[in-house]
PDB file of all heavy atoms in Angstrom:
ATOM      1  N   GLU A   1     -48.306-189.991-273.392  1.00 77.00           N
ATOM      2  CA  GLU A   1     -48.654-188.809-272.604  1.00 77.00           C
ATOM      3  C   GLU A   1     -48.013-187.539-273.156  1.00 77.00           C
ATOM      4  O   GLU A   1     -48.614-186.470-273.144  1.00 77.00           O
ATOM      5  CB  GLU A   1     -48.234-189.020-271.147  1.00 77.00           C
ATOM      6  CG  GLU A   1     -49.001-190.124-270.427  1.00 77.00           C
ATOM      7  CD  GLU A   1     -50.480-189.792-270.288  1.00 77.00           C
ATOM      8  OE1 GLU A   1     -50.819-188.587-270.313  1.00 77.00           O
ATOM      9  OE2 GLU A   1     -51.293-190.732-270.159  1.00 77.00           O
ATOM     10  N   SER A   2     -46.793-187.640-273.648  1.00 82.00           N
ATOM     11  CA  SER A   2     -46.115-186.457-274.182  1.00 82.00           C
ATOM     12  C   SER A   2     -46.806-185.957-275.442  1.00 82.00           C
ATOM     13  O   SER A   2     -46.953-184.744-275.657  1.00 82.00           O
ATOM     14  CB  SER A   2     -44.647-186.761-274.469  1.00 82.00           C
ATOM     15  OG  SER A   2     -44.524-187.779-275.456  1.00 82.00           O
ATOM     16  N   GLU A   3     -47.235-186.888-276.300  1.00 81.00           N
ATOM     17  CA  GLU A   3     -47.947-186.506-277.512  1.00 81.00           C
ATOM     18  C   GLU A   3     -49.301-185.887-277.169  1.00 81.00           C
ATOM     19  O   GLU A   3     -49.726-184.900-277.775  1.00 81.00           O
ATOM     20  CB  GLU A   3     -48.136-187.730-278.418  1.00 81.00           C
ATOM     21  CG  GLU A   3     -48.931-187.467-279.701  1.00 81.00           C
ATOM     22  CD  GLU A   3     -48.241-186.519-280.667  1.00 81.00           C
ATOM     23  OE1 GLU A   3     -47.084-186.122-280.408  1.00 81.00           O
ATOM     24  OE2 GLU A   3     -48.862-186.172-281.689  1.00 81.00           O
ATOM     25  N   LEU A   4     -49.960-186.468-276.184  1.00 82.00           N
ATOM     26  CA  LEU A   4     -51.246-185.920-275.748  1.00 82.00           C
ATOM     27  C   LEU A   4     -51.075-184.505-275.203  1.00 82.00           C
ATOM     28  O   LEU A   4     -51.884-183.614-275.478  1.00 82.00           O
ATOM     29  CB  LEU A   4     -51.862-186.830-274.686  1.00 82.00           C
ATOM     30  CG  LEU A   4     -53.252-186.428-274.168  1.00 82.00           C
ATOM     31  CD1 LEU A   4     -54.261-186.376-275.302  1.00 82.00           C
ATOM     32  CD2 LEU A   4     -53.717-187.401-273.077  1.00 82.00           C
ATOM     33  N   SER A   5     -50.017-184.292-274.446  1.00 86.00           N
ATOM     34  CA  SER A   5     -49.741-182.961-273.896  1.00 86.00           C
ATOM     35  C   SER A   5     -49.460-181.967-275.017  1.00 86.00           C
ATOM     36  O   SER A   5     -49.916-180.808-274.981  1.00 86.00           O
ATOM     37  CB  SER A   5     -48.550-183.034-272.943  1.00 86.00           C
ATOM     38  OG  SER A   5     -48.225-181.749-272.451  1.00 86.00           O
ATOM     39  N   ARG A   6     -48.702-182.408-276.039  1.00 89.00           N
ATOM     40  CA  ARG A   6     -48.405-181.533-277.170  1.00 89.00           C
ATOM     41  C   ARG A   6     -49.678-181.134-277.892  1.00 89.00           C
ATOM     42  O   ARG A   6     -49.864-179.961-278.276  1.00 89.00           O
ATOM     43  CB  ARG A   6     -47.468-182.249-278.144  1.00 89.00           C
ATOM     44  CG  ARG A   6     -47.017-181.375-279.307  1.00 89.00           C
ATOM     45  CD  ARG A   6     -46.400-182.200-280.419  1.00 89.00           C
ATOM     46  NE  ARG A   6     -47.373-183.020-281.103  1.00 89.00           N
ATOM     47  CZ  ARG A   6     -48.201-182.566-282.057  1.00 89.00           C
ATOM     48  NH1 ARG A   6     -48.167-181.284-282.411  1.00 89.00           N
ATOM     49  NH2 ARG A   6     -49.052-183.370-282.642  1.00 89.00           N
ATOM     50  N   ILE A   7     -50.572-182.102-278.072  1.00 87.00           N
ATOM     51  CA  ILE A   7     -51.837-181.828-278.762  1.00 87.00           C
ATOM     52  C   ILE A   7     -52.682-180.840-277.968  1.00 87.00           C
ATOM     53  O   ILE A   7     -53.276-179.906-278.521  1.00 87.00           O
ATOM     54  CB  ILE A   7     -52.603-183.144-278.993  1.00 87.00           C
ATOM     55  CG1 ILE A   7     -51.865-184.000-280.029  1.00 87.00           C
ATOM     56  CG2 ILE A   7     -54.038-182.868-279.449  1.00 87.00           C
ATOM     57  CD1 ILE A   7     -52.431-185.385-280.203  1.00 87.00           C
ATOM     58  N   GLU A   8     -52.754-181.042-276.645  1.00 88.00           N
ATOM     59  CA  GLU A   8     -53.537-180.137-275.794  1.00 88.00           C
ATOM     60  C   GLU A   8     -52.992-178.711-275.891  1.00 88.00           C
ATOM     61  O   GLU A   8     -53.755-177.741-275.998  1.00 88.00           O
ATOM     62  CB  GLU A   8     -53.516-180.619-274.347  1.00 88.00           C
ATOM     63  CG  GLU A   8     -54.204-181.957-274.100  1.00 88.00           C
ATOM     64  CD  GLU A   8     -55.720-181.849-274.154  1.00 88.00           C
ATOM     65  OE1 GLU A   8     -56.236-180.760-274.466  1.00 88.00           O
ATOM     66  OE2 GLU A   8     -56.392-182.866-273.891  1.00 88.00           O
ATOM     67  N   ASP A   9     -51.676-178.582-275.847  1.00 90.00           N
ATOM     68  CA  ASP A   9     -51.056-177.248-275.937  1.00 90.00           C
ATOM     69  C   ASP A   9     -51.345-176.597-277.291  1.00 90.00           C
ATOM     70  O   ASP A   9     -51.621-175.394-277.372  1.00 90.00           O
ATOM     71  CB  ASP A   9     -49.545-177.350-275.733  1.00 90.00           C
ATOM     72  CG  ASP A   9     -49.174-177.720-274.306  1.00 90.00           C
ATOM     73  OD1 ASP A   9     -50.036-177.574-273.410  1.00 90.00           O
ATOM     74  OD2 ASP A   9     -48.025-178.164-274.097  1.00 90.00           O
ATOM     75  N   ARG A  10     -51.272-177.393-278.327  1.00 90.00           N
ATOM     76  CA  ARG A  10     -51.518-176.864-279.664  1.00 90.00           C
ATOM     77  C   ARG A  10     -52.976-176.407-279.814  1.00 90.00           C
ATOM     78  O   ARG A  10     -53.252-175.349-280.376  1.00 90.00           O
ATOM     79  CB  ARG A  10     -51.189-177.933-280.708  1.00 90.00           C
ATOM     80  CG  ARG A  10     -51.353-177.486-282.157  1.00 90.00           C
ATOM     81  CD  ARG A  10     -50.410-176.374-282.516  1.00 90.00           C
ATOM     82  NE  ARG A  10     -50.539-175.994-283.927  1.00 90.00           N
ATOM     83  CZ  ARG A  10     -49.965-174.948-284.461  1.00 90.00           C
ATOM     84  NH1 ARG A  10     -49.209-174.142-283.725  1.00 90.00           N
ATOM     85  NH2 ARG A  10     -50.125-174.667-285.738  1.00 90.00           N
ATOM     86  N   LEU A  11     -53.897-177.219-279.294  1.00 91.00           N
ATOM     87  CA  LEU A  11     -55.309-176.845-279.353  1.00 91.00           C
ATOM     88  C   LEU A  11     -55.587-175.590-278.526  1.00 91.00           C
ATOM     89  O   LEU A  11     -56.390-174.734-278.929  1.00 91.00           O
ATOM     90  CB  LEU A  11     -56.183-178.011-278.864  1.00 91.00           C
ATOM     91  CG  LEU A  11     -56.363-179.173-279.840  1.00 91.00           C
ATOM     92  CD1 LEU A  11     -57.085-180.330-279.170  1.00 91.00           C
ATOM     93  CD2 LEU A  11     -57.146-178.713-281.077  1.00 91.00           C
ATOM     94  N   ASP A  12     -54.915-175.479-277.365  1.00 92.00           N
ATOM     95  CA  ASP A  12     -55.081-174.266-276.556  1.00 92.00           C
ATOM     96  C   ASP A  12     -54.631-173.027-277.333  1.00 92.00           C
ATOM     97  O   ASP A  12     -55.285-171.979-277.291  1.00 92.00           O
ATOM     98  CB  ASP A  12     -54.269-174.382-275.260  1.00 92.00           C
ATOM     99  CG  ASP A  12     -54.903-175.337-274.269  1.00 92.00           C
ATOM    100  OD1 ASP A  12     -56.093-175.656-274.435  1.00 92.00           O
ATOM    101  OD2 ASP A  12     -54.199-175.760-273.330  1.00 92.00           O
ATOM    102  N   LEU A  13     -53.514-173.126-278.064  1.00 91.00           N
ATOM    103  CA  LEU A  13     -53.019-172.011-278.864  1.00 91.00           C
ATOM    104  C   LEU A  13     -54.000-171.663-279.977  1.00 91.00           C
ATOM    105  O   LEU A  13     -54.315-170.484-280.208  1.00 91.00           O
ATOM    106  CB  LEU A  13     -51.654-172.363-279.465  1.00 91.00           C
ATOM    107  CG  LEU A  13     -51.062-171.339-280.444  1.00 91.00           C
ATOM    108  CD1 LEU A  13     -50.856-169.992-279.768  1.00 91.00           C
ATOM    109  CD2 LEU A  13     -49.753-171.851-281.027  1.00 91.00           C
ATOM    110  N   ILE A  14     -54.491-172.685-280.673  1.00 91.00           N
ATOM    111  CA  ILE A  14     -55.435-172.458-281.776  1.00 91.00           C
ATOM    112  C   ILE A  14     -56.703-171.784-281.272  1.00 91.00           C
ATOM    113  O   ILE A  14     -57.184-170.799-281.849  1.00 91.00           O
ATOM    114  CB  ILE A  14     -55.772-173.785-282.477  1.00 91.00           C
ATOM    115  CG1 ILE A  14     -54.536-174.325-283.212  1.00 91.00           C
ATOM    116  CG2 ILE A  14     -56.935-173.614-283.450  1.00 91.00           C
ATOM    117  CD1 ILE A  14     -54.718-175.706-283.800  1.00 91.00           C
ATOM    118  N   HIS A  15     -57.245-172.299-280.164  1.00 91.00           N
ATOM    119  CA  HIS A  15     -58.485-171.734-279.625  1.00 91.00           C
ATOM    120  C   HIS A  15     -58.266-170.312-279.115  1.00 91.00           C
ATOM    121  O   HIS A  15     -59.160-169.461-279.209  1.00 91.00           O
ATOM    122  CB  HIS A  15     -59.020-172.637-278.511  1.00 91.00           C
ATOM    123  CG  HIS A  15     -59.475-173.964-279.004  1.00 91.00           C
ATOM    124  ND1 HIS A  15     -59.554-175.100-278.198  1.00 91.00           N
ATOM    125  CD2 HIS A  15     -59.858-174.371-280.248  1.00 91.00           C
ATOM    126  CE1 HIS A  15     -59.981-176.121-278.913  1.00 91.00           C
ATOM    127  NE2 HIS A  15     -60.172-175.709-280.154  1.00 91.00           N
ATOM    128  N   SER A  16     -57.079-170.035-278.586  1.00 92.00           N
ATOM    129  CA  SER A  16     -56.760-168.686-278.125  1.00 92.00           C
ATOM    130  C   SER A  16     -56.754-167.708-279.310  1.00 92.00           C
ATOM    131  O   SER A  16     -57.296-166.595-279.218  1.00 92.00           O
ATOM    132  CB  SER A  16     -55.400-168.668-277.439  1.00 92.00           C
ATOM    133  OG  SER A  16     -55.008-167.351-277.097  1.00 92.00           O
ATOM    134  N   LEU A  17     -56.154-168.120-280.416  1.00 92.00           N
ATOM    135  CA  LEU A  17     -56.138-167.278-281.609  1.00 92.00           C
ATOM    136  C   LEU A  17     -57.547-167.086-282.171  1.00 92.00           C
ATOM    137  O   LEU A  17     -57.896-165.992-282.638  1.00 92.00           O
ATOM    138  CB  LEU A  17     -55.220-167.884-282.666  1.00 92.00           C
ATOM    139  CG  LEU A  17     -53.726-167.923-282.327  1.00 92.00           C
ATOM    140  CD1 LEU A  17     -52.955-168.643-283.420  1.00 92.00           C
ATOM    141  CD2 LEU A  17     -53.172-166.516-282.132  1.00 92.00           C
ATOM    142  N   TYR A  18     -58.338-168.160-282.119  1.00 91.00           N
ATOM    143  CA  TYR A  18     -59.720-168.050-282.592  1.00 91.00           C
ATOM    144  C   TYR A  18     -60.500-167.032-281.770  1.00 91.00           C
ATOM    145  O   TYR A  18     -61.262-166.227-282.319  1.00 91.00           O
ATOM    146  CB  TYR A  18     -60.411-169.409-282.515  1.00 91.00           C
ATOM    147  CG  TYR A  18     -60.015-170.392-283.606  1.00 91.00           C
ATOM    148  CD1 TYR A  18     -59.036-170.069-284.543  1.00 91.00           C
ATOM    149  CD2 TYR A  18     -60.601-171.636-283.697  1.00 91.00           C
ATOM    150  CE1 TYR A  18     -58.673-170.960-285.527  1.00 91.00           C
ATOM    151  CE2 TYR A  18     -60.252-172.540-284.687  1.00 91.00           C
ATOM    152  CZ  TYR A  18     -59.285-172.199-285.594  1.00 91.00           C
ATOM    153  OH  TYR A  18     -58.922-173.095-286.568  1.00 91.00           O
ATOM    154  N   ARG A  19     -60.320-167.076-280.451  1.00 91.00           N
ATOM    155  CA  ARG A  19     -61.041-166.134-279.582  1.00 91.00           C
ATOM    156  C   ARG A  19     -60.624-164.690-279.870  1.00 91.00           C
ATOM    157  O   ARG A  19     -61.439-163.771-279.834  1.00 91.00           O
ATOM    158  CB  ARG A  19     -60.784-166.466-278.116  1.00 91.00           C
ATOM    159  CG  ARG A  19     -61.519-167.699-277.599  1.00 91.00           C
ATOM    160  CD  ARG A  19     -61.460-167.786-276.090  1.00 91.00           C
ATOM    161  NE  ARG A  19     -60.090-167.879-275.590  1.00 91.00           N
ATOM    162  CZ  ARG A  19     -59.442-169.026-275.410  1.00 91.00           C
ATOM    163  NH1 ARG A  19     -60.030-170.179-275.713  1.00 91.00           N
ATOM    164  NH2 ARG A  19     -58.202-169.030-274.945  1.00 91.00           N
ATOM    165  N   LYS A  20     -59.347-164.482-280.137  1.00 91.00           N
ATOM    166  CA  LYS A  20     -58.836-163.124-280.341  1.00 91.00           C
ATOM    167  C   LYS A  20     -59.177-162.562-281.728  1.00 91.00           C
ATOM    168  O   LYS A  20     -59.450-161.365-281.868  1.00 91.00           O
ATOM    169  CB  LYS A  20     -57.306-163.112-280.192  1.00 91.00           C
ATOM    170  CG  LYS A  20     -56.799-163.309-278.781  1.00 91.00           C
ATOM    171  CD  LYS A  20     -55.272-163.240-278.778  1.00 91.00           C
ATOM    172  CE  LYS A  20     -54.686-163.417-277.396  1.00 91.00           C
ATOM    173  NZ  LYS A  20     -53.205-163.362-277.404  1.00 91.00           N
ATOM    174  N   TYR A  21     -59.157-163.435-282.731  1.00 90.00           N
ATOM    175  CA  TYR A  21     -59.139-162.922-284.099  1.00 90.00           C
ATOM    176  C   TYR A  21     -60.251-163.454-285.000  1.00 90.00           C
ATOM    177  O   TYR A  21     -60.071-163.552-286.211  1.00 90.00           O
ATOM    178  CB  TYR A  21     -57.780-163.228-284.734  1.00 90.00           C
ATOM    179  CG  TYR A  21     -56.610-162.692-283.944  1.00 90.00           C
ATOM    180  CD1 TYR A  21     -55.633-163.552-283.438  1.00 90.00           C
ATOM    181  CD2 TYR A  21     -56.497-161.336-283.666  1.00 90.00           C
ATOM    182  CE1 TYR A  21     -54.560-163.062-282.694  1.00 90.00           C
ATOM    183  CE2 TYR A  21     -55.436-160.833-282.925  1.00 90.00           C
ATOM    184  CZ  TYR A  21     -54.478-161.712-282.448  1.00 90.00           C
ATOM    185  OH  TYR A  21     -53.429-161.213-281.704  1.00 90.00           O
ATOM    186  N   GLY A  22     -61.399-163.796-284.414  1.00 88.00           N
ATOM    187  CA  GLY A  22     -62.546-164.038-285.297  1.00 88.00           C
ATOM    188  C   GLY A  22     -63.306-165.329-285.138  1.00 88.00           C
ATOM    189  O   GLY A  22     -64.410-165.452-285.658  1.00 88.00           O
ATOM    190  N   GLY A  23     -62.745-166.346-284.475  1.00 87.00           N
ATOM    191  CA  GLY A  23     -63.532-167.535-284.180  1.00 87.00           C
ATOM    192  C   GLY A  23     -63.335-168.729-285.092  1.00 87.00           C
ATOM    193  O   GLY A  23     -63.894-169.792-284.843  1.00 87.00           O
ATOM    194  N   SER A  24     -62.547-168.577-286.155  1.00 88.00           N
ATOM    195  CA  SER A  24     -62.319-169.709-287.059  1.00 88.00           C
ATOM    196  C   SER A  24     -60.988-169.516-287.775  1.00 88.00           C
ATOM    197  O   SER A  24     -60.395-168.430-287.738  1.00 88.00           O
ATOM    198  CB  SER A  24     -63.445-169.826-288.086  1.00 88.00           C
ATOM    199  OG  SER A  24     -63.424-168.717-288.972  1.00 88.00           O
ATOM    200  N   HIS A  25     -60.540-170.586-288.429  1.00 90.00           N
ATOM    201  CA  HIS A  25     -59.275-170.509-289.177  1.00 90.00           C
ATOM    202  C   HIS A  25     -59.347-169.443-290.262  1.00 90.00           C
ATOM    203  O   HIS A  25     -58.447-168.604-290.400  1.00 90.00           O
ATOM    204  CB  HIS A  25     -58.974-171.875-289.801  1.00 90.00           C
ATOM    205  CG  HIS A  25     -57.775-171.873-290.704  1.00 90.00           C
ATOM    206  ND1 HIS A  25     -57.875-171.611-292.059  1.00 90.00           N
ATOM    207  CD2 HIS A  25     -56.451-172.057-290.454  1.00 90.00           C
ATOM    208  CE1 HIS A  25     -56.679-171.656-292.594  1.00 90.00           C
ATOM    209  NE2 HIS A  25     -55.796-171.940-291.655  1.00 90.00           N
ATOM    210  N   ASP A  26     -60.442-169.445-291.036  1.00 90.00           N
ATOM    211  CA  ASP A  26     -60.579-168.479-292.123  1.00 90.00           C
ATOM    212  C   ASP A  26     -60.614-167.047-291.594  1.00 90.00           C
ATOM    213  O   ASP A  26     -60.048-166.127-292.202  1.00 90.00           O
ATOM    214  CB  ASP A  26     -61.844-168.768-292.926  1.00 90.00           C
ATOM    215  CG  ASP A  26     -61.728-170.046-293.744  1.00 90.00           C
ATOM    216  OD1 ASP A  26     -60.591-170.532-293.913  1.00 90.00           O
ATOM    217  OD2 ASP A  26     -62.763-170.567-294.195  1.00 90.00           O
ATOM    218  N   ALA A  27     -61.293-166.845-290.453  1.00 92.00           N
ATOM    219  CA  ALA A  27     -61.380-165.501-289.874  1.00 92.00           C
ATOM    220  C   ALA A  27     -60.012-165.014-289.407  1.00 92.00           C
ATOM    221  O   ALA A  27     -59.675-163.836-289.560  1.00 92.00           O
ATOM    222  CB  ALA A  27     -62.369-165.504-288.707  1.00 92.00           C
ATOM    223  N   VAL A  28     -59.219-165.914-288.829  1.00 92.00           N
ATOM    224  CA  VAL A  28     -57.878-165.540-288.371  1.00 92.00           C
ATOM    225  C   VAL A  28     -56.998-165.148-289.557  1.00 92.00           C
ATOM    226  O   VAL A  28     -56.264-164.150-289.505  1.00 92.00           O
ATOM    227  CB  VAL A  28     -57.232-166.693-287.575  1.00 92.00           C
ATOM    228  CG1 VAL A  28     -55.773-166.361-287.234  1.00 92.00           C
ATOM    229  CG2 VAL A  28     -58.005-166.952-286.290  1.00 92.00           C
ATOM    230  N   ILE A  29     -57.061-165.923-290.632  1.00 93.00           N
ATOM    231  CA  ILE A  29     -56.268-165.620-291.819  1.00 93.00           C
ATOM    232  C   ILE A  29     -56.703-164.285-292.430  1.00 93.00           C
ATOM    233  O   ILE A  29     -55.861-163.480-292.860  1.00 93.00           O
ATOM    234  CB  ILE A  29     -56.383-166.749-292.863  1.00 93.00           C
ATOM    235  CG1 ILE A  29     -55.836-168.071-292.276  1.00 93.00           C
ATOM    236  CG2 ILE A  29     -55.638-166.384-294.126  1.00 93.00           C
ATOM    237  CD1 ILE A  29     -54.420-167.992-291.766  1.00 93.00           C
ATOM    238  N   ALA A  30     -58.013-164.023-292.451  1.00 93.00           N
ATOM    239  CA  ALA A  30     -58.513-162.747-292.967  1.00 93.00           C
ATOM    240  C   ALA A  30     -58.032-161.586-292.098  1.00 93.00           C
ATOM    241  O   ALA A  30     -57.643-160.526-292.609  1.00 93.00           O
ATOM    242  CB  ALA A  30     -60.036-162.766-293.025  1.00 93.00           C
ATOM    243  N   PHE A  31     -58.037-161.798-290.781  1.00 94.00           N
ATOM    244  CA  PHE A  31     -57.546-160.766-289.858  1.00 94.00           C
ATOM    245  C   PHE A  31     -56.069-160.491-290.129  1.00 94.00           C
ATOM    246  O   PHE A  31     -55.640-159.331-290.149  1.00 94.00           O
ATOM    247  CB  PHE A  31     -57.736-161.225-288.419  1.00 94.00           C
ATOM    248  CG  PHE A  31     -57.339-160.193-287.394  1.00 94.00           C
ATOM    249  CD1 PHE A  31     -58.274-159.337-286.849  1.00 94.00           C
ATOM    250  CD2 PHE A  31     -56.017-160.079-286.990  1.00 94.00           C
ATOM    251  CE1 PHE A  31     -57.905-158.378-285.915  1.00 94.00           C
ATOM    252  CE2 PHE A  31     -55.630-159.121-286.067  1.00 94.00           C
ATOM    253  CZ  PHE A  31     -56.577-158.276-285.523  1.00 94.00           C
TER     254      PHE A  31
END
């Protein structure tokens, strides 16, 4: 459960950055 919670939190952070800065990993890095 702790690992699952860590993964969920990490995905929430990644998706938050995607929404703010372009929608993908490459777009965020370009930003």
